[in-house]
Amino acid sequence: MKNKFNFKILGSGPTGLFLSIALSKFDCNIFLTDLLTKDRLIDKEKTYAITHSTRKILSKFRLWEKLEPYLFAFDSLSISDSVTSSMTNLSIFDLDDDISSAKAIGWVVKHSDLMTVFFQEIDNYENIFFMTPQRLLRKKIIFDYQFLSTGANSLDKKLFDFVDIKKSYNQSCLTFKVSLRGNCEKRAYEIFRKEGPLALLPLEKNLYQVIWTSSTLKAIERLNSDKNFLMDNLSTILPDEFKLDQIIGEFNIFPVSLSLNFQAFNFKKLVFVGDAFHTFHPVGGQGLNICWRDVNTIFDLFNKNIVITNMHLSLFKFKYFSSRILDIIFTMFITDSLISIFANKKLFLFPIRKVSFLLLNNFLFIRKLVLNQMTKSFIYSRIK
């Protein structure tokens, strides 16, 4: 590689931090910047589902063992359709042999724990520099390449001339933590409802993260409602065996959309990564996992070359886009299909919904196909 390329990463969330760690393996300077301070970046009430493909990627960068103390594994997944009263339970026995030894379908991690581990990791690298945009601007550095990971609706993204397609679901997700009794301790839940899915992710014994999708108007109404009213409302949705004790911590709300940025259509030395590149409906918990698959692809593309030149950087955007597009389109199709089929009350779809659960409950190979696609994706075998 040329002596010390300068790479700039705009956005220091989980994707930006992970990208800086991946790029630090090369002979380059990485300038990581964000409008928020480190404390504010860490202190957010969010959680993420982690899949087996992500476990393999994190292990590749020796981050899995550092995150493992903060991960809560779940070994079963309940999927139900409240409209047709159908349900199925997937377990570790439905996993492929190459991942069943992990004894988990997936894992859940709190945003604050994840970010703390990542910031501690970047402190170990002398070629990663975290600073404010103002301070970085004063340094007057000429950047060889820029990576934008500031999210789907950031102002930075709107400043660049790229083709962006977007589908709005006119929905938002309300998220908060609840204390529950009567549940299976290490089970995650996906409940399809006519207004949108409701997910429960286990954080520890009797503590769950609620991800409640509905119309944006309804989500805002619930956000502003009394906690007791919200608890009563939620109690009517949860399975009968649950006992809701209390709501814990703060509420968060975020819009839901499907989007894809066609960044390969110009020669600017800048690419979008993570949510700036693509967004999906949160059903199935694919969001952060596919963002980190972007990072893994970026690393692999750089790692293919013994010496990286300016010519490689000029072609990088096209290679990156072509390497990622199939995985992204497939995930878009799956998540959008789930919402189109299961998150409504259309009578003509009832037979499809009923038959889907009938197949899941009676055919092991279908259970395996569905579960392993969700947690491995078809790129699992290509992660080296």
Side-chain angles (χ1 to χ4, degrees):
M1 180 181 273
K2 157 194 159 180
N3 187 29
K4 295 295 184 182
F5 275 120
N6 291 320
F7 292 154
K8 179 180 179 182
I9 301 175
L10 292 86
S12 304
T15 301
L17 287 179
F18 187 29
L19 179 59
S20 70
I21 294 168
L23 291 176
S24 69
K25 313 301 181 185
F26 304 105
D27 188 21
C28 59
N29 294 315
I30 300 117
F31 295 88
L32 183 63
T33 184
D34 201 286
L35 292 171
L36 300 180
T37 63
K38 183 184 294 187
D39 288 342
R40 288 187 64 189
L41 286 165
I42 292 174
D43 189 22
K44 291 183 179 181
E45 288 283 333
K46 296 175 69 177
T47 59
Y48 306 104
I50 302 296
T51 65
H52 279 273
S53 65
T54 295
R55 174 178 63 88
K56 193 173 183 181
I57 291 170
L58 290 171
S59 296
K60 171 179 174 176
F61 292 97
R62 298 183 180 179
L63 291 169
W64 181 254
E65 60 271 21
K66 297 176 182 178
L67 275 174
E68 204 164 10
Y70 306 99
L71 301 172
F72 189 87
F74 57 94
D75 56 18
S76 62
L77 171 64
S78 172
I79 305 174
S80 59
D81 181 351
S82 63
V83 177
T84 63
S85 300
S86 303
M87 73 167 295
T88 191
N89 289 321
L90 304 177
S91 73
I92 56 174
F93 301 107
D94 299 311
L95 294 172
D96 284 341
D97 292 340
D98 58 345
I99 59 174
S100 60
S101 60
K103 304 298 183 185
I105 287 177
W107 297 263
V108 183
V109 64
K110 296 177 184 176
H111 173 90
S112 56
D113 291 334
L114 172 65
M115 294 292 283
T116 298
V117 170
F118 276 13
F119 270 117
Q120 288 172 348
E121 183 69 12
I122 69 171
D123 288 341
N124 297 326
Y125 295 94
E126 294 182 354
N127 60 337
I128 300 179
F129 307 94
F130 176 72
M131 59 185 68
T132 64
Q134 294 83 359
R135 184 183 168 199
L136 185 57
L137 187 63
R138 289 196 295 269
K139 288 187 172 292
K140 298 180 180 179
I141 299 169
I142 298 175
F143 294 104
D144 297 285
Y145 220 92
Q146 298 185 63
F147 303 86
L148 192 71
S149 63
T150 51
N153 300 305
S154 68
L155 180 60
D156 293 298
K157 182 178 177 181
K158 296 173 183 177
L159 294 175
F160 298 99
D161 183 25
F162 291 97
V163 177
D164 203 30
I165 62 168
K166 190 170 185 178
K167 172 183 175 180
S168 174
Y169 290 101
N170 296 316
Q171 291 183 329
S172 291
C173 281
L174 181 64
T175 67
F176 52 93
K177 296 180 180 68
V178 295
S179 176
L180 289 174
R181 285 179 290 153
N183 56 302
C184 294
E185 182 180 329
K186 301 179 75 173
R187 176 173 292 174
Y189 296 81
E190 188 82 66
I191 305 169
F192 289 102
R193 307 176 61 248
K194 64 179 180 181
E195 67 174 7
L198 184 144
L200 298 172
L201 299 178
L203 299 170
E204 56 188 66
K205 186 176 181 180
N206 296 330
L207 183 66
Y208 274 76
Q209 182 79 31
V210 176
I211 305 170
W212 193 349
T213 309
S214 63
S215 68
T216 298
L217 187 62
K218 194 70 175 177
I220 294 172
E221 181 183 312
R222 287 173 176 146
L223 177 68
N224 296 323
S225 66
D226 177 77
K227 274 192 176 183
N228 290 327
F229 174 80
L230 189 61
M231 283 181 62
D232 290 341
N233 194 198
L234 182 59
S235 295
T236 63
I237 297 171
L238 297 176
D240 294 338
E241 66 268 22
F242 283 126
K243 170 65 176 176
L244 178 59
D245 283 336
Q246 61 179 322
I247 293 173
I248 300 170
E250 299 177 1
F251 293 87
N252 276 299
I253 189 170
F254 58 91
V256 176
S257 66
L258 182 151
S259 65
L260 176 61
N261 187 281
F262 286 88
Q263 53 193 294
F265 291 168
N266 64 48
F267 287 90
K268 293 178 181 178
K269 289 188 177 181
L270 178 147
V271 294
F272 294 162
V273 186
D275 287 344
F277 184 8
H278 44 66
T279 58
F280 311 89
H281 198 286
V283 64
Q286 297 299 306
L288 183 61
N289 298 283
I290 198 165
C291 292
W292 284 355
R293 297 205 289 269
D294 291 349
V295 174
N296 183 64
T297 296
I298 290 170
F299 175 84
D300 286 348
L301 288 173
F302 281 143
N303 203 38
K304 282 181 179 178
N305 302 288
I306 298 175
V307 177
I308 298 178
T309 65
N310 280 307
M311 177 61 71
H312 290 130
L313 292 179
S314 297
L315 298 174
F316 170 76
K317 176 181 295 185
F318 306 96
K319 293 180 180 178
Y320 170 58
F321 186 85
S322 60
S323 297
R324 292 297 300 130
I325 190 63
L326 187 59
D327 184 27
I328 292 168
I329 292 295
F330 185 75
T331 305
M332 282 184 168
F333 173 75
I334 294 296
T335 54
D336 189 57
S337 296
L338 287 173
I339 297 305
S340 299
I341 295 171
F342 293 96
N344 56 68
K345 205 173 181 179
K346 297 174 181 176
L347 291 174
F348 71 91
L349 290 173
F350 278 29
I352 297 175
R353 293 161 74 160
K354 279 287 190 181
V355 169
S356 297
F357 280 91
L358 185 66
L359 293 173
L360 281 170
N361 285 321
N362 289 279
F363 294 95
L364 178 61
F365 80 94
I366 294 180
R367 296 164 64 84
K368 279 183 159 296
L369 179 66
V370 170
L371 182 59
N372 289 285
Q373 177 53 46
M374 287 175 62
T375 195
K376 287 174 66 175
S377 81
F378 59 78
I379 72 157
Y380 185 85
S381 62
R382 302 206 304 269
I383 301 171
K384 305 297 183 184

